[in-house]
């Protein structure tokens, strides 16, 4: 079992930055791909970014490319999502997830955190 805890969310003005953290316990995160998803009120949970277990490859949804960066520090059992140039439409609850494989389909990820709220004011 892997327990995931997100942190770093908050209220920020448009154009600002936040860094989300996904800290794991129970098992080392180094064997898992980690993804970030988000869900806005009334909308489906959507894929944001992912990083392979080795860190060699990263994936982003088109709307965040060039603005968000996913990274991992296995020594800290933590994955980060650096979010720059935030827009109002980035407002959502952000979740991290872990699984042996990367997929944009959220239902295929095995382990989830509880989420952290990101609110971008326009």
């Amino acid at each position: 079992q892997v327990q995931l805890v997100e942190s770093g969310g908050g209220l920020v003005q448009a154009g600002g930055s936040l860094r989300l953290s996904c800290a794991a316990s129970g098992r080392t995160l180094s064997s898992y791909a980690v993804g970030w998803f988000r869900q806005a009120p009334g909308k489906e949970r959507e894929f944001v970014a992912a990083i392979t277990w080795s860190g060699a490859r990263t994936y982003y949804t088109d709307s965040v490319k060039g603005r968000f960066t996913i990274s991992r520090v296995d020594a800290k059992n933590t994955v980060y999502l650096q979010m720059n140039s935030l827009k109002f439409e980035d407002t959502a609850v952000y979740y991290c997830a872990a699984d042996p494989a990367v997929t944009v389909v959220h239902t295929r990820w095995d382990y989830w955190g509880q989420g952290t709220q990101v609110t971008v004011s326009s």
Side-chain angles (χ1 to χ4, degrees), residues 79-119:
V79 170
Y80 302 98
L81 185 68
Q82 178 67 43
M83 306 187 297
N84 298 328
S85 303
L86 282 162
K87 304 176 180 180
F88 175 76
E89 50 266 38
D90 294 319
T91 296
V93 177
Y94 283 71
Y95 300 89
C96 67
D99 193 84
V102 173
T103 172
V104 300
V105 181
H106 67 87
T107 55
R108 294 185 181 176
W109 291 75
D110 283 343
Y111 303 104
W112 289 88
Q114 83 290 347
T116 186
Q117 176 70 46
V118 171
T119 302

Short mmCIF file of all heavy atoms in Angstrom, two decimals, residues 79-119:
data_model
loop_
_atom_site.label_atom_id
_atom_site.label_comp_id
_atom_site.label_asym_id
_atom_site.label_seq_id
_atom_site.Cartn_x
_atom_site.Cartn_y
_atom_site.Cartn_z
N VAL A 79 6.95 13.78 -5.02
CA VAL A 79 6.82 14.28 -6.39
C VAL A 79 6.25 15.69 -6.31
O VAL A 79 5.37 15.97 -5.48
CB VAL A 79 5.92 13.36 -7.23
CG1 VAL A 79 5.59 14.00 -8.57
CG2 VAL A 79 6.60 12.02 -7.43
N TYR A 80 6.74 16.56 -7.18
CA TYR A 80 6.32 17.96 -7.16
C TYR A 80 5.63 18.33 -8.46
O TYR A 80 5.91 17.76 -9.52
CB TYR A 80 7.55 18.86 -6.97
CG TYR A 80 8.32 18.58 -5.71
CD1 TYR A 80 9.46 17.79 -5.74
CD2 TYR A 80 7.91 19.11 -4.50
CE1 TYR A 80 10.17 17.52 -4.59
CE2 TYR A 80 8.62 18.85 -3.33
CZ TYR A 80 9.75 18.05 -3.38
OH TYR A 80 10.45 17.79 -2.23
N LEU A 81 4.78 19.32 -8.36
CA LEU A 81 4.19 19.94 -9.55
C LEU A 81 4.38 21.45 -9.41
O LEU A 81 3.70 22.08 -8.60
CB LEU A 81 2.71 19.59 -9.71
CG LEU A 81 2.07 20.11 -10.99
CD1 LEU A 81 2.65 19.38 -12.21
CD2 LEU A 81 0.55 19.93 -10.95
N GLN A 82 5.33 21.98 -10.16
CA GLN A 82 5.56 23.41 -10.18
C GLN A 82 4.61 24.03 -11.18
O GLN A 82 4.63 23.66 -12.35
CB GLN A 82 7.01 23.72 -10.56
CG GLN A 82 7.32 25.20 -10.65
CD GLN A 82 7.25 25.90 -9.30
OE1 GLN A 82 7.73 25.38 -8.30
NE2 GLN A 82 6.65 27.08 -9.28
N MET A 83 3.80 24.96 -10.73
CA MET A 83 2.79 25.57 -11.58
C MET A 83 3.08 27.07 -11.69
O MET A 83 3.02 27.78 -10.68
CB MET A 83 1.39 25.34 -11.00
CG MET A 83 1.09 23.87 -10.73
SD MET A 83 -0.63 23.59 -10.25
CE MET A 83 -0.69 24.50 -8.72
N ASN A 84 3.40 27.50 -12.87
CA ASN A 84 3.70 28.91 -13.14
C ASN A 84 2.65 29.50 -14.07
O ASN A 84 1.91 28.77 -14.73
CB ASN A 84 5.08 29.05 -13.77
CG ASN A 84 6.18 28.55 -12.86
OD1 ASN A 84 6.10 28.63 -11.63
ND2 ASN A 84 7.25 28.04 -13.47
N SER A 85 2.61 30.80 -14.12
CA SER A 85 1.67 31.51 -15.01
C SER A 85 0.25 30.96 -14.86
O SER A 85 -0.43 30.66 -15.85
CB SER A 85 2.12 31.40 -16.47
OG SER A 85 3.42 31.90 -16.63
N LEU A 86 -0.18 30.84 -13.63
CA LEU A 86 -1.48 30.24 -13.36
C LEU A 86 -2.61 31.08 -13.94
O LEU A 86 -2.55 32.32 -13.97
CB LEU A 86 -1.66 30.05 -11.86
CG LEU A 86 -0.90 28.84 -11.31
CD1 LEU A 86 -0.75 28.95 -9.80
CD2 LEU A 86 -1.64 27.55 -11.66
N LYS A 87 -3.63 30.37 -14.39
CA LYS A 87 -4.80 31.00 -14.99
C LYS A 87 -6.03 30.65 -14.17
O LYS A 87 -6.05 29.65 -13.43
CB LYS A 87 -4.99 30.49 -16.42
CG LYS A 87 -3.80 30.70 -17.33
CD LYS A 87 -4.05 30.08 -18.70
CE LYS A 87 -2.85 30.27 -19.62
NZ LYS A 87 -3.09 29.67 -20.95
N PHE A 88 -7.07 31.46 -14.34
CA PHE A 88 -8.30 31.21 -13.61
C PHE A 88 -8.79 29.78 -13.86
O PHE A 88 -9.27 29.11 -12.94
CB PHE A 88 -9.36 32.22 -14.03
CG PHE A 88 -10.70 31.98 -13.43
CD1 PHE A 88 -10.94 32.30 -12.09
CD2 PHE A 88 -11.72 31.42 -14.17
CE1 PHE A 88 -12.18 32.08 -11.52
CE2 PHE A 88 -12.96 31.19 -13.61
CZ PHE A 88 -13.20 31.51 -12.28
N GLU A 89 -8.65 29.31 -15.09
CA GLU A 89 -9.17 27.99 -15.44
C GLU A 89 -8.34 26.85 -14.84
O GLU A 89 -8.70 25.69 -14.99
CB GLU A 89 -9.26 27.82 -16.96
CG GLU A 89 -8.01 28.20 -17.72
CD GLU A 89 -8.05 29.65 -18.22
OE1 GLU A 89 -8.55 30.54 -17.48
OE2 GLU A 89 -7.56 29.87 -19.34
N ASP A 90 -7.25 27.15 -14.16
CA ASP A 90 -6.50 26.12 -13.44
C ASP A 90 -7.12 25.83 -12.07
O ASP A 90 -6.68 24.91 -11.38
CB ASP A 90 -5.04 26.55 -13.25
CG ASP A 90 -4.27 26.65 -14.56
OD1 ASP A 90 -4.46 25.77 -15.42
OD2 ASP A 90 -3.49 27.61 -14.71
N THR A 91 -8.10 26.61 -11.69
CA THR A 91 -8.75 26.40 -10.40
C THR A 91 -9.39 25.03 -10.33
O THR A 91 -10.19 24.66 -11.20
CB THR A 91 -9.81 27.49 -10.17
OG1 THR A 91 -9.17 28.77 -10.09
CG2 THR A 91 -10.58 27.23 -8.88
N ALA A 92 -9.04 24.26 -9.31
CA ALA A 92 -9.55 22.90 -9.16
C ALA A 92 -8.96 22.29 -7.89
O ALA A 92 -8.05 22.87 -7.28
CB ALA A 92 -9.16 22.04 -10.36
N VAL A 93 -9.48 21.14 -7.54
CA VAL A 93 -8.80 20.30 -6.55
C VAL A 93 -7.80 19.44 -7.30
O VAL A 93 -8.15 18.79 -8.29
CB VAL A 93 -9.80 19.41 -5.77
CG1 VAL A 93 -9.05 18.52 -4.80
CG2 VAL A 93 -10.82 20.28 -5.05
N TYR A 94 -6.57 19.46 -6.83
CA TYR A 94 -5.49 18.71 -7.48
C TYR A 94 -5.18 17.46 -6.67
O TYR A 94 -5.00 17.53 -5.44
CB TYR A 94 -4.24 19.58 -7.62
CG TYR A 94 -4.35 20.57 -8.74
CD1 TYR A 94 -5.22 21.66 -8.66
CD2 TYR A 94 -3.61 20.41 -9.91
CE1 TYR A 94 -5.33 22.57 -9.70
CE2 TYR A 94 -3.72 21.32 -10.96
CZ TYR A 94 -4.58 22.38 -10.84
OH TYR A 94 -4.70 23.27 -11.89
N TYR A 95 -5.12 16.34 -7.37
CA TYR A 95 -4.86 15.05 -6.76
C TYR A 95 -3.58 14.45 -7.34
O TYR A 95 -3.35 14.56 -8.56
CB TYR A 95 -6.00 14.07 -7.02
CG TYR A 95 -7.34 14.49 -6.51
CD1 TYR A 95 -8.19 15.26 -7.30
CD2 TYR A 95 -7.78 14.10 -5.25
CE1 TYR A 95 -9.44 15.65 -6.84
CE2 TYR A 95 -9.03 14.47 -4.79
CZ TYR A 95 -9.85 15.24 -5.58
OH TYR A 95 -11.09 15.61 -5.11
N CYS A 96 -2.81 13.77 -6.52
CA CYS A 96 -1.73 12.96 -7.06
C CYS A 96 -2.13 11.49 -6.96
O CYS A 96 -2.95 11.10 -6.12
CB CYS A 96 -0.39 13.21 -6.38
SG CYS A 96 -0.25 12.71 -4.66
N ALA A 97 -1.57 10.71 -7.85
CA ALA A 97 -1.88 9.29 -7.93
C ALA A 97 -0.61 8.52 -8.27
O ALA A 97 0.30 9.06 -8.91
CB ALA A 97 -2.95 9.05 -8.98
N ALA A 98 -0.58 7.27 -7.86
CA ALA A 98 0.57 6.41 -8.14
C ALA A 98 0.12 5.10 -8.74
O ALA A 98 -0.94 4.57 -8.38
CB ALA A 98 1.37 6.15 -6.87
N ASP A 99 0.91 4.60 -9.66
CA ASP A 99 0.60 3.34 -10.34
C ASP A 99 1.87 2.87 -11.03
O ASP A 99 2.72 3.70 -11.38
CB ASP A 99 -0.51 3.55 -11.36
CG ASP A 99 -1.09 2.25 -11.86
OD1 ASP A 99 -1.97 1.71 -11.17
OD2 ASP A 99 -0.64 1.78 -12.92
N PRO A 100 1.99 1.59 -11.31
CA PRO A 100 3.17 1.14 -12.04
C PRO A 100 3.28 1.73 -13.45
O PRO A 100 4.40 1.88 -13.97
CB PRO A 100 2.98 -0.37 -12.11
CG PRO A 100 2.16 -0.70 -10.91
CD PRO A 100 1.23 0.46 -10.76
N ALA A 101 2.15 2.09 -14.05
CA ALA A 101 2.18 2.57 -15.43
C ALA A 101 1.52 3.93 -15.55
O ALA A 101 0.62 4.27 -14.78
CB ALA A 101 1.49 1.57 -16.35
N VAL A 102 1.93 4.69 -16.53
CA VAL A 102 1.34 5.99 -16.81
C VAL A 102 0.14 5.82 -17.74
O VAL A 102 0.22 5.14 -18.75
CB VAL A 102 2.36 6.93 -17.47
CG1 VAL A 102 1.67 8.23 -17.91
CG2 VAL A 102 3.49 7.24 -16.50
N THR A 103 -0.94 6.45 -17.41
CA THR A 103 -2.11 6.52 -18.27
C THR A 103 -2.85 7.81 -17.96
O THR A 103 -2.81 8.30 -16.84
CB THR A 103 -3.04 5.30 -18.07
OG1 THR A 103 -4.24 5.51 -18.80
CG2 THR A 103 -3.38 5.10 -16.60
N VAL A 104 -3.53 8.34 -18.97
CA VAL A 104 -4.34 9.55 -18.72
C VAL A 104 -5.70 9.20 -18.14
O VAL A 104 -6.47 10.07 -17.77
CB VAL A 104 -4.51 10.38 -20.01
CG1 VAL A 104 -3.15 10.82 -20.53
CG2 VAL A 104 -5.28 9.60 -21.06
N VAL A 105 -6.02 7.91 -18.07
CA VAL A 105 -7.31 7.46 -17.59
C VAL A 105 -7.25 7.35 -16.07
O VAL A 105 -6.59 6.46 -15.52
CB VAL A 105 -7.70 6.11 -18.22
CG1 VAL A 105 -9.06 5.67 -17.70
CG2 VAL A 105 -7.67 6.20 -19.73
N HIS A 106 -7.95 8.23 -15.39
CA HIS A 106 -7.77 8.30 -13.93
C HIS A 106 -8.24 7.03 -13.23
O HIS A 106 -7.70 6.68 -12.17
CB HIS A 106 -8.47 9.53 -13.36
CG HIS A 106 -9.97 9.52 -13.44
ND1 HIS A 106 -10.75 8.94 -12.47
CD2 HIS A 106 -10.82 10.01 -14.36
CE1 HIS A 106 -12.02 9.09 -12.79
NE2 HIS A 106 -12.09 9.73 -13.94
N THR A 107 -9.18 6.34 -13.77
CA THR A 107 -9.70 5.14 -13.10
C THR A 107 -8.69 4.00 -13.07
O THR A 107 -8.89 3.01 -12.37
CB THR A 107 -10.99 4.67 -13.77
OG1 THR A 107 -10.75 4.48 -15.17
CG2 THR A 107 -12.11 5.67 -13.57
N ARG A 108 -7.62 4.11 -13.82
CA ARG A 108 -6.62 3.05 -13.86
C ARG A 108 -5.48 3.23 -12.87
O ARG A 108 -4.60 2.40 -12.80
CB ARG A 108 -6.07 2.92 -15.28
CG ARG A 108 -7.11 2.45 -16.27
CD ARG A 108 -6.53 2.21 -17.63
NE ARG A 108 -7.55 1.79 -18.59
CZ ARG A 108 -7.31 1.59 -19.88
NH1 ARG A 108 -6.09 1.77 -20.36
NH2 ARG A 108 -8.28 1.21 -20.67
N TRP A 109 -5.51 4.34 -12.14
CA TRP A 109 -4.44 4.56 -11.16
C TRP A 109 -4.84 3.90 -9.84
O TRP A 109 -5.96 4.04 -9.38
CB TRP A 109 -4.20 6.06 -10.97
CG TRP A 109 -3.58 6.67 -12.19
CD1 TRP A 109 -4.19 6.96 -13.38
CD2 TRP A 109 -2.21 7.07 -12.34
NE1 TRP A 109 -3.29 7.50 -14.25
CE2 TRP A 109 -2.06 7.60 -13.65
CE3 TRP A 109 -1.10 7.05 -11.51
CZ2 TRP A 109 -0.85 8.08 -14.13
CZ3 TRP A 109 0.11 7.54 -11.98
CH2 TRP A 109 0.22 8.05 -13.28
N ASP A 110 -3.88 3.26 -9.20
CA ASP A 110 -4.19 2.46 -8.02
C ASP A 110 -4.33 3.28 -6.75
O ASP A 110 -5.20 3.02 -5.92
CB ASP A 110 -3.09 1.41 -7.79
CG ASP A 110 -3.21 0.24 -8.73
OD1 ASP A 110 -4.29 0.06 -9.34
OD2 ASP A 110 -2.22 -0.51 -8.88
N TYR A 111 -3.45 4.24 -6.54
CA TYR A 111 -3.38 4.93 -5.26
C TYR A 111 -3.61 6.43 -5.46
O TYR A 111 -3.10 7.02 -6.42
CB TYR A 111 -2.02 4.70 -4.60
CG TYR A 111 -1.70 3.25 -4.40
CD1 TYR A 111 -0.79 2.60 -5.22
CD2 TYR A 111 -2.33 2.53 -3.40
CE1 TYR A 111 -0.51 1.26 -5.05
CE2 TYR A 111 -2.05 1.18 -3.22
CZ TYR A 111 -1.14 0.55 -4.05
OH TYR A 111 -0.87 -0.78 -3.87
N TRP A 112 -4.35 7.03 -4.52
CA TRP A 112 -4.72 8.44 -4.62
C TRP A 112 -4.51 9.16 -3.30
O TRP A 112 -4.68 8.57 -2.22
CB TRP A 112 -6.19 8.57 -5.01
CG TRP A 112 -6.45 8.17 -6.42
CD1 TRP A 112 -6.74 6.92 -6.90
CD2 TRP A 112 -6.45 9.04 -7.55
NE1 TRP A 112 -6.90 6.96 -8.26
CE2 TRP A 112 -6.73 8.24 -8.69
CE3 TRP A 112 -6.23 10.41 -7.73
CZ2 TRP A 112 -6.80 8.78 -9.98
CZ3 TRP A 112 -6.31 10.93 -9.01
CH2 TRP A 112 -6.59 10.12 -10.11
N GLY A 113 -4.18 10.43 -3.41
CA GLY A 113 -4.19 11.29 -2.24
C GLY A 113 -5.56 11.90 -2.05
O GLY A 113 -6.49 11.64 -2.81
N GLN A 114 -5.68 12.74 -1.02
CA GLN A 114 -6.98 13.32 -0.68
C GLN A 114 -7.26 14.61 -1.44
O GLN A 114 -8.39 15.10 -1.42
CB GLN A 114 -7.05 13.58 0.83
CG GLN A 114 -6.40 14.89 1.30
CD GLN A 114 -4.89 14.91 1.19
OE1 GLN A 114 -4.26 13.88 0.99
NE2 GLN A 114 -4.31 16.09 1.33
N GLY A 115 -6.26 15.16 -2.07
CA GLY A 115 -6.44 16.37 -2.87
C GLY A 115 -6.07 17.64 -2.14
O GLY A 115 -6.11 17.70 -0.91
N THR A 116 -5.71 18.65 -2.91
CA THR A 116 -5.41 19.97 -2.36
C THR A 116 -6.04 21.01 -3.28
O THR A 116 -5.96 20.90 -4.50
CB THR A 116 -3.89 20.18 -2.21
OG1 THR A 116 -3.64 21.43 -1.55
CG2 THR A 116 -3.16 20.17 -3.54
N GLN A 117 -6.67 22.01 -2.69
CA GLN A 117 -7.40 23.00 -3.46
C GLN A 117 -6.45 24.07 -4.01
O GLN A 117 -5.64 24.63 -3.26
CB GLN A 117 -8.47 23.68 -2.59
CG GLN A 117 -9.22 24.80 -3.27
CD GLN A 117 -10.16 24.31 -4.35
OE1 GLN A 117 -10.90 23.34 -4.14
NE2 GLN A 117 -10.15 24.96 -5.52
N VAL A 118 -6.59 24.35 -5.28
CA VAL A 118 -5.88 25.46 -5.92
C VAL A 118 -6.93 26.42 -6.46
O VAL A 118 -7.80 26.02 -7.24
CB VAL A 118 -4.97 24.97 -7.07
CG1 VAL A 118 -4.41 26.15 -7.86
CG2 VAL A 118 -3.84 24.12 -6.51
N THR A 119 -6.86 27.65 -6.01
CA THR A 119 -7.80 28.67 -6.47
C THR A 119 -7.02 29.82 -7.06
O THR A 119 -6.15 30.40 -6.39
CB THR A 119 -8.68 29.17 -5.31
OG1 THR A 119 -9.38 28.06 -4.74
CG2 THR A 119 -9.70 30.19 -5.82
#
